[in-house]
Amino acid sequence: MDIRIKKVLQDQPVGQRVAVAGWVRTRRDTGGFSFIEINDGSCLANLQVIADKGLENYQQDIKNLATGSSVVVDGELRKSPAKGQAVELHATKIDIVGGADSETYPLQKKRHSFEFLREINHLRPRTNALGAVSRVRSRLGYAVHNFFQQRGFIQVHTPIITTSDCEGAGEMFQVSTGRERSGEDHFFGRSAGLTVSGQLQAEVYALAMGDVYTFGPTFRAENSNTSRHLAEFWMLEPEMAFCDLDGNRKIAEELLKYLLADVLENCAEDMALFDKFIEKGLIGKLQDVIAKDFIHISYTEAVERLEKAGDKFEYAVRWGADLQSEHERYLSEKLFRCPVAVTDYPASIKPFYMRLNDDGKTVAAMDILVPGIGEIIGGSQREDRLEVLQSRMIETGIDPAEYDWYLDLRRYGSVPHAGFGLGFERLVQFVTGMANIREVIPFPRTPGSAPC
RNA sequence: UCCUCGGUAGCUCAGUCGGUAGAGCAGGUGGCUGUUAACCACCCUGUCGGCGGUUCGAGUCCGUCCCGGGGAGCCA
């Protein structure tokens, strides 16, 4: 039966009959036969097929087999006499399942720019780099579940359609059926939007199940046009009951290290491609991140370090103002050269649900900054004291009546709890070294662009 | 949304001082070779992003719009 190329190359069943199915990457003809390289997506490497001119459809079909065509190849696996591959498949039969006109097929057997590949979004997973990204992304998703399930976390499917706007998390897409635009009748009886965060609902389950996580699509209607923002992205949000900011930070560090180690071990071939062609030294950088403790400094300390840095920043550092991108980059890329957890930000620049510290000026917030990406994780210990939460809501212009269910969590059996959000695409960017976030999600949605 | 740099053949790009366009790759044909970004020869390829303006004449200068890259803001 058909087997995947990954398995053929792993097991190398020399002398046995093997059938593979995939897409032609390239064909080279010699006097008496052709070399055809087949890729089936199971791994980065192609399988080299030897197609002898004695095959019945050689002259009319095989000799003209074009890049992009789909084929089923039956044959015998043999050791390769030449360098470049250990084994090769000597075909006894090649069925051309679907042709591809080389005059119009956009992918050529040469390197294309990522910008061009974005214009043919439906064909780009057939390239080496985007295929490798897809496999690494899939593995990271699997590893996320492994990490949390091994630690007894419960996965919660928080809603995609929500009626609560998690304050400070950006603009919401409105959800409506066409009919509602004219009248007052909302399908849900009130206005609804696509979720900007599953956090508030995750808190509901954390205060019943203990440790939970939610992992799903998230939507931001911001007009952001950068290499690290999407209108639709995937976010991982753990939420832990009986947990403070220190516990939160430790889980975040443990998670990142676990995910990096998992991918280095299980996607070695793809990671080697990124290391060679996308970001030189990537693997060494990730191994360093795994080996060293993350730096932890408070926001106040960070401001002091930045003031002493003597570097000229475009925007001045000032206690009470949010850190600029250039400041964050300085901390993780120049000063410490590793992931940095910055905690205890001024309350005035953070949302209402973050726990107010004893100084009354700062909140138990945490951002983890990573070289090359910036903020990859944002989280906090949550305000678990009813009265403090209520007054923080009023201060920041949130109507407590709208969040009565959220306040109930503090009225009945409130406990210290904490959590964070990890931008999944930013993680994939960090792991693969891909410069633009549009290359690490299969179908990127950005302002003015959602082709398929 | 703002700043900035771009848009020329299917792809990657060159195009001088304003004088109606060129290379490599891809594609086609033939040859050759256990090839592997195969090689050699020949052939084909254009709304110079759109619209308007200046000029005898615009790929080139000006205006404007669209699209893309980089940076900023917002954040994950």
Side-chain angles (χ1 to χ4, degrees):
Chain A
M1 277 321 296
D2 295 4
I3 55 171
R4 315 284 335 244
I5 288 170
K6 182 180 185 180
K7 188 144 177 63
V8 174
L9 296 177
Q10 264 170 7
D11 299 351
Q12 302 193 0
V14 170
Q16 289 184 33
R17 200 183 146 194
V18 163
V20 299
W23 292 267
V24 173
R25 282 293 176 83
T26 176
R27 191 199 80 241
R28 295 176 293 274
D29 304 318
T30 76
F33 58 95
S34 295
F35 296 98
I36 305 166
E37 290 198 38
I38 310 292
N39 188 282
D40 69 355
S42 62
C43 60
L44 181 65
N46 302 324
L47 179 65
Q48 177 163 286
V49 170
I50 309 296
D52 193 85
K53 70 176 173 188
L55 289 166
E56 59 163 334
N57 55 345
Y58 185 80
Q59 283 301 329
Q60 65 274 39
D61 295 332
I62 296 172
K63 226 183 129 201
N64 300 309
L65 202 52
T67 301
S69 306
S70 51
V71 291
V72 176
V73 182
D74 208 330
E76 186 192 327
L77 196 75
R78 297 189 198 157
K79 275 196 155 44
S80 176
K83 282 180 184 169
Q85 60 284 315
V87 292
E88 58 192 24
L89 184 60
H90 286 250
T92 50
K93 188 164 180 269
I94 298 181
D95 283 334
I96 297 167
V97 181
D101 184 358
S102 53
E103 297 264 12
T104 55
Y105 186 60
L107 288 174
Q108 299 168 3
K109 48 186 183 185
K110 63 163 206 168
R111 202 196 163 279
H112 290 288
S113 69
F114 290 121
E115 291 80 13
F116 169 69
L117 292 174
R118 237 178 263 155
E119 293 168 16
I120 47 165
N121 194 269
H122 55 297
L123 295 172
R124 68 178 186 165
R126 300 184 184 192
T127 63
N128 286 339
L130 274 292
V133 167
S134 305
R135 284 184 293 270
V136 167
R137 181 182 170 109
S138 169
R139 180 70 207 189
L140 281 169
Y142 178 71
V144 159
H145 288 292
N146 278 345
F147 177 87
F148 287 112
Q149 295 288 336
Q150 281 166 14
R151 283 161 183 75
F153 280 63
I154 302 293
Q155 186 192 7
V156 180
H157 291 133
T158 51
I160 306 297
I161 297 174
T162 182
T163 53
S164 65
D165 182 2
C166 194
E167 196 265 336
E171 291 292 313
M172 261 204 294
F173 286 100
Q174 293 301 308
V175 171
S176 77
T177 69
R179 268 173 261 162
E180 288 150 359
R181 275 178 226 138
S182 49
E184 298 285 300
D185 256 5
H186 278 288
F187 185 88
F188 298 105
R190 57 188 296 188
S191 67
L194 296 177
T195 183
V196 294
S197 167
Q199 180 203 316
L200 300 188
Q201 290 95 343
E203 284 186 55
V204 171
Y205 271 75
L207 294 194
M209 318 298 289
D211 296 333
V212 305
Y213 67 105
T214 178
F215 183 22
T218 308
F219 309 86
R220 304 274 166 92
E222 297 287 348
N223 192 10
S224 309
N225 235 307
T226 81
S227 58
R228 56 193 188 284
H229 285 89
L230 290 165
E232 176 180 305
F233 64 100
W234 284 61
M235 187 153 65
L236 168 66
E237 295 174 283
E239 192 71 33
M240 291 85 72
F242 304 101
C243 180
D244 62 9
L245 189 65
D246 276 340
N248 201 23
R249 203 184 76 242
K250 279 167 191 156
I251 285 281
E253 179 169 348
E254 207 182 319
L255 169 71
L256 280 176
K257 288 179 173 180
Y258 176 92
L259 295 175
L260 299 187
D262 184 281
V263 160
L264 286 175
E265 187 184 336
N266 293 293
C267 300
E269 187 190 26
D270 292 322
M271 292 304 295
L273 173 101
F274 298 129
D275 190 74
K276 190 174 174 190
F277 295 114
I278 306 295
E279 183 184 333
K280 300 244 187 294
L282 173 70
I283 291 174
K285 183 185 91 175
L286 298 181
Q287 284 167 337
D288 254 23
V289 170
I290 296 168
K292 286 191 220 157
D293 287 341
F294 288 10
I295 298 290
H296 171 214
I297 56 170
S298 71
Y299 167 88
T300 303
E301 289 167 325
V303 168
E304 285 165 8
R305 297 296 287 266
L306 289 165
E307 279 171 342
K308 278 187 211 153
D311 269 51
K312 280 171 195 156
F313 295 114
E314 197 183 334
Y315 296 90
V317 185
R318 181 177 60 81
W319 200 99
D322 214 348
L323 298 179
Q324 300 286 318
S325 278
E326 57 177 339
H327 304 145
E328 296 183 344
R329 205 171 289 144
Y330 181 86
L331 292 173
S332 66
E333 289 172 13
K334 284 192 178 167
L335 190 58
F336 299 118
R337 293 172 184 277
C338 75
V340 180
V342 182
T343 60
D344 303 294
Y345 283 77
S348 56
I349 57 171
K350 289 291 182 184
F352 71 91
Y353 51 74
M354 295 189 175
R355 192 180 196 277
L356 193 66
N357 287 327
D358 292 343
D359 61 13
K361 294 193 304 193
T362 61
V363 290
M366 159 186 94
D367 283 358
I368 293 184
L369 314 175
V370 128
I373 308 289
E375 186 179 346
I376 196 168
I377 282 177
S380 71
Q381 185 174 338
R382 319 306 188 188
E383 184 53 76
D384 56 304
R385 297 161 296 186
L386 179 65
E387 296 78 14
V388 181
L389 182 59
Q390 282 169 325
S391 58
R392 281 279 287 150
M393 289 174 101
I394 290 160
E395 273 171 34
T396 52
I398 307 280
D399 180 8
E402 288 283 304
Y403 289 86
D404 206 44
W405 60 271
Y406 189 69
L407 293 168
D408 264 0
L409 302 175
R410 279 73 181 170
R411 288 191 184 102
Y412 312 113
S414 186
V415 298
H417 62 290
F420 60 84
L422 168 73
F424 191 60
E425 284 74 20
R426 289 189 184 173
L427 172 71
V428 182
Q429 271 191 283
F430 184 59
V431 166
T432 60
M434 296 301 291
N436 196 304
I437 200 165
R438 292 160 205 203
E439 266 69 76
V440 300
I441 189 166
F443 300 93
R445 273 84 178 90
T446 52
S449 176
C452 67

